[in-house]
Amino acid sequence: LAGAGSGKTRVLTTRIAYMINSGIRPYNILGVTFTNKAAKEMKARLEKNLGQDIVRSLWVGTFHGICGKILRNDIENYKNEENIVWKNNFVIYDQDESLAVIKNALKELNMDDKIYKPKTIQMEISNAKNKMMDAYTFATRARDYRSDKVGQVFTLYEKALNLNNALDFDDLLLTCVKLLEQNKEVREKYHNKDRKSTRLNSSHGYISY
């Protein structure tokens, strides 16, 4: 365990600089953190030591940021269980926008929003996505009346987002994982990029905190 001010960022940035100086291609280094603030600090320190041109080639950012970057390049190579596809210029809905979509779905299904509270449904959908379940998977696993009703809302919610070529925040992780699981060519593109051009036996680096 390492608390605030203990030197985590310094260790990581120093390690990345060492890896690059040892011959590892910047593109092959992945540095992941949880917050935008930490990612910004990492990039700032790396730019000071390595320069902007090198840092632009690094994969440094938050989990959501890294997944978003992959999706911007390759989401058109993904389709879900119901053959729904998205385009690379997708928009990202915030909490308020996604909540509005859920409210519309409840109205369309004639469901009482006092019994099925929109924010509660939103949380249940978010929890499902964090367990790597999309609407189709959630609906097929529903085993009680409430889960079945939530599954109906989830399905309409997902279709409405797709209609507007949109993802929510949780989708960035879920869709990226499913894309990589589903598409071998995309998976190998990120795994094999520049592998033969590095002079070290271990040409890839993964750093997270």
Side-chain angles (χ1 to χ4, degrees):
L1 297 177
S6 59
K8 298 186 297 298
T9 302
R10 180 183 60 80
V11 170
L12 291 171
T13 53
T14 301
R15 171 65 173 164
I16 289 172
Y18 172 80
M19 292 164 72
I20 291 173
N21 291 331
S22 297
I24 295 175
R25 293 292 183 94
Y27 185 94
N28 291 343
I29 297 175
L30 172 63
V32 188
T33 185
F34 286 99
T35 67
N36 288 322
K37 181 180 178 181
K40 185 177 180 180
E41 176 65 19
M42 284 180 65
K43 288 180 180 178
R45 295 194 189 190
L46 287 166
E47 285 179 0
K48 184 177 180 180
N49 293 330
L50 300 171
Q52 288 186 348
D53 290 341
I54 290 178
V55 175
R56 286 195 192 99
S57 299
L58 291 168
W59 288 76
V60 175
T62 62
F63 287 93
H64 291 86
I66 295 295
C67 287
K69 184 177 179 180
I70 292 173
L71 293 175
R72 288 294 181 196
N73 292 330
D74 291 291
I75 195 171
E76 292 183 358
N77 294 306
Y78 167 75
K79 59 182 178 181
N80 68 8
E81 296 285 352
E82 296 180 299
N83 292 320
I84 293 175
V85 297
W86 281 260
K87 296 181 180 179
N88 291 344
N89 62 342
F90 62 85
V91 296
I92 302 171
Y93 276 12
D94 61 22
Q95 290 286 92
D96 291 337
E97 290 168 326
S98 68
L99 188 63
V101 177
I102 289 171
K103 290 178 179 178
N104 287 336
L106 289 169
K107 289 180 181 179
E108 186 173 340
L109 293 166
N110 293 316
M111 293 170 58
D112 189 343
D113 62 6
K114 292 181 180 179
I115 297 175
Y116 298 95
K117 296 181 179 180
K119 286 189 176 181
T120 301
I121 300 293
Q122 185 181 46
M123 182 178 67
E124 291 182 73
I125 290 174
S126 178
N127 288 339
K129 290 184 178 185
N130 285 321
K131 294 176 182 177
M132 295 291 109
M133 287 191 287
D134 57 14
Y136 177 85
T137 305
F138 185 91
T140 55
R141 293 183 182 180
R143 294 294 181 268
D144 56 65
Y145 182 79
R146 179 179 174 81
S147 295
D148 180 65
K149 300 299 283 186
V150 173
Q152 293 178 41
V153 177
F154 196 169
T155 298
L156 285 185
Y157 173 77
E158 188 173 88
K159 288 181 178 178
L161 261 63
N162 175 256
L163 185 64
N164 292 293
N165 194 35
L167 300 174
D168 65 23
F169 203 55
D170 295 311
D171 284 325
L172 295 176
L173 302 184
L174 172 64
T175 307
C176 185
V177 169
K178 287 187 173 292
L179 164 66
L180 293 172
E181 287 178 343
Q182 180 187 102
N183 194 301
K184 182 179 179 181
E185 290 183 1
V186 173
R187 189 167 64 246
E188 290 184 346
K189 179 178 78 170
Y190 290 100
H191 181 65
N192 294 325
K193 182 73 173 179
D194 287 337
R195 169 169 285 187
K196 294 181 180 179
S197 64
T198 57
R199 62 182 177 84
L200 294 186
N201 291 328
S202 177
S203 64
H204 293 260
Y206 175 86
I207 298 176
S208 68
Y209 76 106

